[in-house]
Amino acid sequence: MTTGAPPPIRPARPRRSGPLRFLPLGIAAWLVLEIWLLTVVAGATSGFVVFLLLVGGLVLGSAVIKRAGRRAFRKLSEAVQQQQSGVTPARETGGGGALTMLGGLLIILPGLISDALGLILLVPPVQKALGKYAERTFERKVREATPGGLGDAYQQARMHKPDGKVVQGEVIRDDEPPMRGPRPDDPQLPY
């Protein structure tokens, strides 16, 4: 028996872009490669050497992240002190602190490939090049953003003047004492 109602329509899932479609497969392949490489090293040396490599990566990565965090906190407190004293702090480019923390995180992760990538991220010329690339990419994405999107909101937040939109309303001042009786600008009723 049918009621004449159409079957429910499922909302269409948005399609993933090309790289995002293969991200889970890439992560799985990376994990398999890391495990395989650790077993090869364990077979060539011993399991104790692999254990020492993993513990050393954990200690080194923790030290790198701790040092980068202290440096970031020191820069933040210096910037706050400069701003409180009236000096405009200089804008830094590159994002070295974030890349240093990412490098430390990659070193902490168990595996030799992630350790190698983390150590590469700790090299200052690599940090500078990746920081400039990330900044250019971010600026390009903000310029290409559609109106009303996140990029538009970011641009509006960066502007010193509002975008010129007019909101109709009435201003009511609380600092004036209320007047007793009719005001001169009130409409008069005919007698």
Side-chain angles (χ1 to χ4, degrees):
M1 180 169 139
T2 61
T3 59
I9 299 173
R10 292 185 191 165
R13 286 182 25 201
R15 291 185 50 92
R16 292 183 185 175
S17 64
L20 288 179
R21 185 179 311 151
F22 297 110
L23 184 66
L25 181 63
I27 290 173
W30 173 57
L31 290 174
V32 168
L33 186 63
E34 289 277 18
I35 292 169
W36 175 77
L37 192 58
L38 286 174
T39 57
V40 168
V41 170
T45 58
S46 69
F48 186 69
V49 171
V50 172
F51 177 73
L52 287 179
L53 283 173
L54 295 176
V55 170
L58 179 69
V59 170
L60 178 65
S62 299
V64 166
I65 289 177
K66 184 177 180 180
R67 182 173 168 232
R70 283 184 178 169
R71 185 181 306 140
F73 185 74
R74 186 179 66 242
K75 285 182 181 180
L76 176 66
S77 58
E78 287 173 1
V80 167
Q81 287 175 355
Q82 286 178 354
Q83 189 157 8
Q84 286 178 348
S85 65
V87 178
T88 306
R91 181 176 176 258
E92 291 187 22
T93 59
L99 291 175
T100 302
M101 286 189 183
L102 179 62
L105 180 67
L106 285 172
I107 292 172
I108 287 177
L109 291 176
L112 299 177
I113 297 171
S114 63
D115 289 349
L117 288 174
L119 289 172
I120 288 172
L121 280 179
L122 295 181
V123 177
V126 173
Q127 286 183 350
K128 187 176 280 189
L130 282 176
K132 287 181 182 178
Y133 174 75
E135 189 174 350
R136 282 193 314 262
T137 304
F138 180 73
E139 290 292 330
R140 183 175 42 87
K141 292 286 186 184
V142 166
R143 280 192 307 269
E144 293 174 357
T146 59
L150 178 62
D152 189 36
Y154 178 73
Q155 287 290 8
Q156 290 294 325
R158 289 182 58 193
M159 294 173 62
H160 295 290
K161 296 180 180 177
D163 58 357
K165 294 180 182 172
V166 176
V167 178
Q168 297 294 329
E170 181 180 346
V171 176
I172 300 174
R173 298 189 61 159
D174 289 337
D175 57 348
E176 295 177 1
M179 292 181 60
R180 301 281 182 212
R183 297 188 319 196
D185 59 341
D186 282 345
Q188 298 294 323
L189 292 175
Y191 290 103

